Amino acid sequence: GFTLCSHVSMGCRGSKKQSGKIEEEKTEKIEAGALPKVEPRFRHTRHVIDRQTGKTFKEVIPGPVWSTLKGLYVTSACGVVPAHHLRCCLRRLTEHAGRKMRSRSSQKDIRKFCDVYNIDLDEVLLPLSEFATMNDFFTRELKPSARPIHSSEEPGVFTSCADCRLIIFQTLEEATSIWIKGLKFSLTELLGEAVAKPFLEKPGCSVAVCRLAPQDYHRFHFPCGPGKVLDQSYLAGEYYSVNPVAINNPKVDVLTENCRSVTRLQHPNFGQVAFVAVGATLVGSVQLLKEADSMFDKGECYGYFQYGGSTCVIIT
């Protein structure tokens, strides 16, 4: 299982500016705020804890996005809007967003996106002029020095797989009682019956939920290594938001109903590890950069999400 703090570091790599940074949801504090030159009424913020420093910072949620999230997942509308209509709407919205973000016309939105979300361009490998579309920028690579791997030579140390808001549970029961509220959530529903079997035979499984916000670096990395990719599968599904307001709603089974890529890894220290990359609203696709039967090292890039917020779930 996971050992909190000693086995996890921010991002898969420690930030050059904030080495070892781990962010944790502080869901009870959602307050209005404002970036420079942005009116408070047009945005919302979520307070996130940096575990290394103990300080909080604000995650930006644009006002229209927050209003939509509340309308769909917080208010009684979640139980009123027919599920079929909601799913069709989110699917069409995601497909439309994917086409738009892959178009050349989206290039003009890159600078505005960086300003709204305060993107650190010093970390980005290529200059902005090299990105032809918004999706090109969204799946950007960072300079190798931007995310040094924590304890890269120690196979017994587990790192975070991405820049994320990370929350860890020692047991599946703890995860479902505190955070994951979907009524149908189970390992079998999340992983599929075949992949879930060896994990169900374990005396207990730890769960890490790594939520990537739109402003984050959207490539994900292997959290342990060296190891081997045993198998990969894709489970088709919906496009619900992975924002906490949806994850915490018992009427929506986000992690087990959304489209997702499921990978089973073999590691000498941790045994079998399940790595789930979960698509979400506005996430066009999940791209994997390694195939089954291939070897990997800790911190090596495994794939990326296209435009939108998204989540990785790791089971060990």
Side-chain angles (χ1 to χ4, degrees), residues 7 17 30 36 71 80 103 141 147 160 169 189 205 212 220 248:
H7 280 188
K17 296 172 66 175
I30 301 176
V80 174
S103 69
E141 294 183 74
R147 299 291 185 275
S160 175
F169 301 97
E189 291 292 333
C205 292
L212 288 70
F220 47 86
N248 298 157

Side-chain angles (χ1 to χ4, degrees), residues 14-315:
S15 170
K16 181 174 67 173
K17 296 172 66 175
Q18 294 175 300
S19 179
K21 183 174 67 173
I22 297 290
E23 299 168 335
E24 182 182 42
E25 296 290 356
K26 193 168 186 180
T27 55
E28 68 272 18
K29 288 189 177 180
I30 301 176
E31 302 175 359
L35 284 173
K37 300 181 181 179
V38 181
E39 291 295 329
R41 66 180 179 275
F42 295 131
R43 60 186 297 281
H44 225 80
T45 57
R46 178 183 299 279
H47 285 217
V48 181
I49 299 173
D50 183 321
R51 285 190 185 147
Q52 184 177 13
T53 65
K55 296 180 179 180
T56 62
F57 63 94
K58 294 179 179 180
E59 174 189 331
V60 177
I61 307 174
V65 175
W66 180 245
S67 297
T68 301
L69 287 171
K70 287 200 300 181
L72 289 175
Y73 301 106
V74 178
T75 69
S76 58
C78 186
V80 174
V81 178
H84 174 71
H85 294 167
L86 175 59
R87 291 169 178 172
C88 290
C89 177
L90 294 177
R91 186 177 293 111
R92 288 196 298 269
L93 180 63
T94 299
E95 292 170 351
H96 173 74
R99 289 192 297 270
K100 180 180 178 181
M101 296 307 167
R102 290 191 299 268
S103 69
R104 296 282 302 200
S105 63
S106 67
Q107 185 183 42
K108 67 181 185 301
D109 297 323
I110 296 176
R111 172 58 69 177
K112 181 168 62 175
F113 181 87
C114 294
D115 291 342
V116 169
Y117 288 111
N118 196 28
I119 305 295
D120 185 357
L121 296 177
D122 289 338
E123 293 185 336
V124 182
L125 182 63
L126 300 175
L128 286 188
S129 58
E130 294 292 318
F131 298 102
T133 68
M134 186 66 202
N135 241 341
D136 288 344
F137 179 76
F138 196 77
T139 58
R140 62 194 176 276
E141 294 183 74
L142 301 183
K143 296 173 182 176
S145 59
R147 299 291 185 275
I149 308 299
H150 180 67
S151 303
S152 59
E153 301 302 319
E154 298 182 35
V157 175
F158 214 98
T159 68
S160 175
C161 65
D163 282 3
C164 62
R165 288 82 180 107
L166 174 65
I167 189 163
I168 296 174
F169 301 97
Q170 295 294 340
T171 66
L172 184 66
E173 291 73 20
E174 185 181 31
T176 53
S177 66
I178 297 174
W179 190 248
I180 305 171
K181 297 300 184 181
L183 296 177
K184 299 178 182 178
F185 181 83
S186 68
L187 284 183
T188 301
E189 291 292 333
L190 175 68
L191 305 176
E193 188 173 351
V195 177
K197 185 176 180 180
F199 296 95
L200 293 172
E201 294 172 351
K202 287 186 176 183
C205 292
S206 296
V207 182
V209 181
C210 313
R211 182 178 68 84
L212 288 70
Q215 60 266 40
D216 289 327
Y217 162 67
H218 259 64
R219 290 178 178 251
F220 47 86
H221 298 245
F222 289 104
C224 56
K228 181 179 181 180
V229 178
L230 295 179
D231 49 53
Q232 301 164 319
S233 57
Y234 178 79
L235 302 179
E238 306 304 331
Y239 294 93
Y240 295 125
S241 171
V242 293
N243 190 281
V245 298
I247 296 287
N248 298 157
N249 191 318
K251 297 180 181 178
V252 182
D253 289 281
V254 175
L255 299 181
T256 58
E257 290 193 33
N258 274 22
C259 57
R260 57 202 179 278
S261 170
V262 178
T263 302
R264 198 159 52 99
L265 310 175
Q266 183 67 45
H267 186 267
N269 290 72
F270 297 102
Q272 289 195 19
V273 177
F275 190 111
V276 185
V278 184
T281 307
L282 302 184
V283 175
S285 64
V286 178
Q287 299 292 329
L288 301 181
L289 303 179
K290 285 277 190 178
E291 297 181 349
D293 295 324
S294 58
M295 306 302 294
F296 63 85
D297 292 316
K298 180 164 63 174
E300 185 177 357
C301 186
Y302 183 34
Y304 57 85
F305 295 103
Q306 296 199 19
Y307 188 81
S310 34
T311 287
C312 294
V313 180
I314 300 172
I315 310 289

